[in-house]
Every structure is written in structure tokens, then in C-alpha cells.
Amino acid sequence: MSPTAQAVAERRPAYLTELARGTEHFHEPRRPDCPWCGSTKLRTRLRTTDLLQHKPGTFTVDQCRSCGHSFQNPRLTPEGLNFYYRDFYDGLHADRAERISGAQNSTKRHQGCAHAMFRHLEPESWLDVGTGHGHFPAVAKEVLPYTAFDGLDIGDGVEEARRAGRVEEAHRGFLTELAPQLAGRYDAMSMFHYLEHSLDPREELKAARRVLRPGGHLMIELPDPESRYAKLLGKWWVSYFQPQHLHFIPLANLRTELAALGYTVVAVDRREPHVPLDLTAACTLLLGHYLPDADDPWRTKVPSGLQRRLRQALMYASVPASVAAHAADRALAPLVSRTGFSNAYRVIARRNPDPS
């Protein structure tokens, strides 16, 4: 038995024990109102399954007709989040997660983010929230050699980042819980594709303001729910990222909230944050949905030899389609910001001094 097959076999009993209760207990009760503005005028924007790991369960994203905020409804419980995150960023499928996030973690993109901040200030200290394994600080310090970069995350990757020298200090936990002990320590913070995972984005923004010094700057990148790719690709739009993405915040809503919390927005960009992967990822998700099942510990049956060979053959056969999708993504990238197809946006906001 291969190491991977052995790891799957070892995990299977625990997964099947959890699933014996069904998946309904992984969800909170459905809420009748928008968590952003309180309106009860909701519509269903998306219904889908787990297209990332293919764990059992169905998920719904509702959209508020009043403010445009979209959110997972019913939302996953902490137990549900643990179930669906497990073996994704760490464990069995960590390599798959690295491939998915590879474009977001490119050196060029990270350098661009550091240069974007440098246009407003040269930070002495920078906290990267949701840092993962510290890829961004490792690159950004080449652009800002006099800046001390720290990382914060709930996973053990942040500890690895500290040991590898990618961050100077590792803060493990939730920003909202660690904010009191980090108050006023940083003059720059970043949240790259972080807020959409959080239970309450408003509380995260409040915590960030507490951690920032007056005059400090917060950089945020988020999936753009107004991207035309979302409508064109439907559930195959990878930025829906169900069931992990809990909130989809329109740019106007974020700007208004930042102003209300005591920030001044100093820059907005829909061009540079775009990651040219929408068509490639849609092709991958579509293929994964229809391929014969892989050997995963949440499946009751181990695939037969024939199923394994068929899956491998179909994966090889799909390579030309994936290559063509990748080429299309790259060719169309210069046009996305002009045509409304950009899949992400960036905001830089300055923390205002406290009222005297």
C-alpha cells in the first residue's frame, strides 16, 4: 500500500463516523436577513456542491437585493468549517491547495502588492493576516528590505514560515482574538483573500484598526462578486470556492464600511489583482466533477483498478483543453479590467487618528 493510500485508509473511519450523522448538522439555521445591511430581500445566487474536494454536502449563496452583499446561507458551523477545511491546506490535499493558490502566490503579484503599498508609505512593521506559509512576506521583503514582516494565521503554516525565516514573528490564532495584545504594533497590514473566509468581516476590520497605528495602512484583496465571469461561469467560477468562502463583498460596500470604521480609502485597483485563471479553473472543476471518483477517505468505497485507470486516462485526455483554457486566460488578461471581468479587487485604506 502506498503512503497516500495508507493515509486515506487511516482517515476513512473518522470521516465516515462524522458523515453517518448526515451533513445537515454542519450548517447553522438559515438566516432570513442580510448580515451586512439587515434587509430581508434575499435571492438565491448559487446552489452547488463541494467542487474542490468533493466532500458530501450542498451549499447555497444568497444575495441581498438591497445592498448586493452575497453570503453562504445557511452558513457552516465551526464543526462544519473544520470538516470541509480538513485535508485541504494541510494533510492529504495540501499539494492540490498549493496548485490552486499558485497563481495568487506568484512572485510578480507579491512584488506588485509591495510596490503598491510603497507608493503610500515605507512601513517599519507589516502584519500579513492569513499569511499561510508566508509566501507574501518572503517576496515583499525583497522590495522593502527595511520592513519587519510578521505573519498571522490559524494553521501551523505560520510557524513553519517563522522557522524558515519568511516572517520574523508568527502569531497563531484569530485576528479578532489576538488584536488586544497586538494593539498599535504595526503601520502596515495586509489581508489577501482573507475576509471572504471570515465569519464576520466587520469584526476583522475593527480588529485591524486596533492593531494599526494611527496613519497606518491596510491593504485588502477580495474576490469581486461583480465580475462578469461569475455570471458567465456560474458554479464553475472558482472564486465562489464553496464551501470555504462565506462572504462576497461588493467594492462599494467595503468602501462605505471602511469609512464608517475610521479609515480613508487612498487607492482602489481592479486591474493588478486579477488572477488569470478563471477559464483554466472552470475546466479543472468541470473535469473533476465528472471524473470517476478518486480514493478519498470520505467515500465509502475504494475505487476499483478499472476506475483508477479510467480516471488517469481521462485526465491525460483533458490536457489539451486545459492548455487551451490557460492560453485563453493569459490572452484575455489585459482586457478584463476594461470589460468588467476582473475576478478580484484591491483596496488600500489609511487608519485615521482616533477622535480627540
Side-chain angles (χ1 to χ4, degrees), residues 16 31 37 66 109 116 156 179 183 199 271 276 306 308 328 336 348:
L16 296 185
R31 64 180 299 158
C37 74
S66 297
R109 282 183 51 73
D156 58 8
L199 294 173
R271 180 185 59 82
L306 177 60
R308 292 173 190 269
V336 294
I348 302 177

Side-chain angles (χ1 to χ4, degrees), residues 14 24 30 50-51 57 62 82 89-90 96 127 171 183 203 214 219 253 257 274 281 305-306:
E24 293 78 9
R30 184 184 183 280
D50 178 359
L51 299 175
D62 283 346
N82 178 65
Y89 295 100
D90 299 294
R96 186 183 301 176
L127 178 64
H171 304 292
E203 291 302 313
M219 177 181 286
N253 287 12
E257 186 63 22
H274 173 73
L306 177 60

Side-chain angles (χ1 to χ4, degrees), residues 1-332:
M1 181 181 293
S2 70
T4 301
Q6 183 175 350
V8 168
E10 291 172 351
R11 288 166 166 78
R12 182 169 278 120
Y15 269 110
L16 296 185
T17 298
E18 286 183 277
L19 288 170
R21 299 167 54 197
T23 58
E24 293 78 9
H25 70 286
F26 290 140
H27 295 270
E28 297 176 352
R30 184 184 183 280
R31 64 180 299 158
D33 60 343
C34 171
W36 199 262
C37 74
S39 172
T40 57
K41 298 178 180 178
L42 306 179
R43 73 173 185 91
T44 298
R45 175 169 178 160
L46 173 75
R47 284 195 178 93
T48 188
T49 55
D50 178 359
L51 299 175
L52 303 171
Q53 295 190 90
H54 309 288
K55 290 181 177 179
T58 56
F59 312 94
T60 301
V61 174
D62 283 346
Q63 183 174 30
C64 176
R65 294 181 184 272
S66 297
C67 74
H69 185 81
S70 298
F71 60 102
Q72 188 184 86
N73 192 25
R75 190 175 70 181
L76 289 174
T77 63
E79 182 184 5
L81 288 168
N82 178 65
F83 178 84
Y84 287 105
Y85 270 80
R86 195 185 313 154
D87 282 315
F88 188 79
Y89 295 100
D90 299 294
L92 282 176
H93 292 158
D95 58 336
R96 186 183 301 176
E98 282 292 317
R99 290 196 300 271
I100 292 174
S101 63
Q104 292 180 343
N105 288 329
S106 71
T107 298
K108 183 179 179 180
R109 282 183 51 73
H110 289 333
Q111 289 174 338
C113 291
H115 282 295
M117 183 68 84
F118 186 59
R119 297 185 191 112
H120 302 278
L121 82 163
E122 184 175 3
E124 293 181 3
S125 55
W126 185 320
L127 178 64
D128 186 35
V129 181
T131 194
H133 292 83
H135 296 298
F136 169 71
V139 174
K141 66 177 58 177
E142 299 173 5
V143 178
L144 300 167
Y146 302 109
T147 300
F149 286 91
D150 295 343
L152 184 151
D153 212 314
I154 60 173
D156 58 8
V158 67
E159 300 284 358
E160 178 188 323
R162 180 188 57 79
R163 290 191 294 269
R166 292 189 286 271
V167 299
E168 295 190 17
E169 291 187 27
H171 304 292
R172 188 169 182 180
F174 294 95
L175 176 64
T176 50
E177 296 174 358
L178 296 176
Q181 68 192 63
L182 299 176
R185 280 193 54 178
Y186 297 95
D187 53 5
M189 291 180 65
S190 49
M191 294 177 169
F192 299 124
H193 293 270
Y194 169 81
L195 281 180
E196 63 267 34
H197 293 266
S198 64
L199 294 173
D200 191 336
R202 277 196 173 99
E203 291 302 313
E204 301 288 341
L205 296 173
K206 291 177 184 176
R209 191 178 188 280
R210 188 170 187 180
V211 171
L212 279 170
R213 299 168 187 159
H217 286 60
L218 171 64
M219 177 181 286
I220 300 169
E221 285 194 2
L222 284 168
D224 190 344
E226 298 168 295
S227 170
R228 291 184 175 178
Y229 267 130
K231 187 173 183 179
L232 176 67
L233 299 175
K235 69 179 182 179
W236 310 112
W237 188 49
V238 71
S239 294
Y240 277 129
F241 220 70
Q242 291 300 294
Q244 297 185 25
H245 285 182
L246 306 181
H247 293 276
F248 302 87
I249 309 172
L251 174 57
N253 287 12
L254 182 62
R255 295 188 66 152
T256 300
E257 186 63 22
L258 286 168
L261 292 175
Y263 295 88
T264 296
V265 173
V266 297
V268 173
D269 189 356
R270 270 185 157 124
R271 180 185 59 82
E272 192 173 270
H274 173 73
V275 182
L277 53 64
D278 297 272
L279 300 177
T280 308
C283 184
T284 300
L285 294 178
L286 185 66
L287 176 68
H289 183 68
Y290 290 106
L291 280 175
D293 293 341
D295 186 14
D296 293 315
W298 43 88
R299 304 189 191 277
T300 56
K301 296 181 179 179
V302 178
S304 66
L306 177 60
Q307 288 174 315
R308 292 173 190 269
R309 290 191 294 274
L310 179 59
R311 178 183 176 86
Q312 191 71 27
L314 290 173
M315 289 177 67
Y316 282 125
S318 70
V319 169
S322 297
V323 170
H326 179 74
D329 276 326
R330 294 291 177 179
L332 294 171

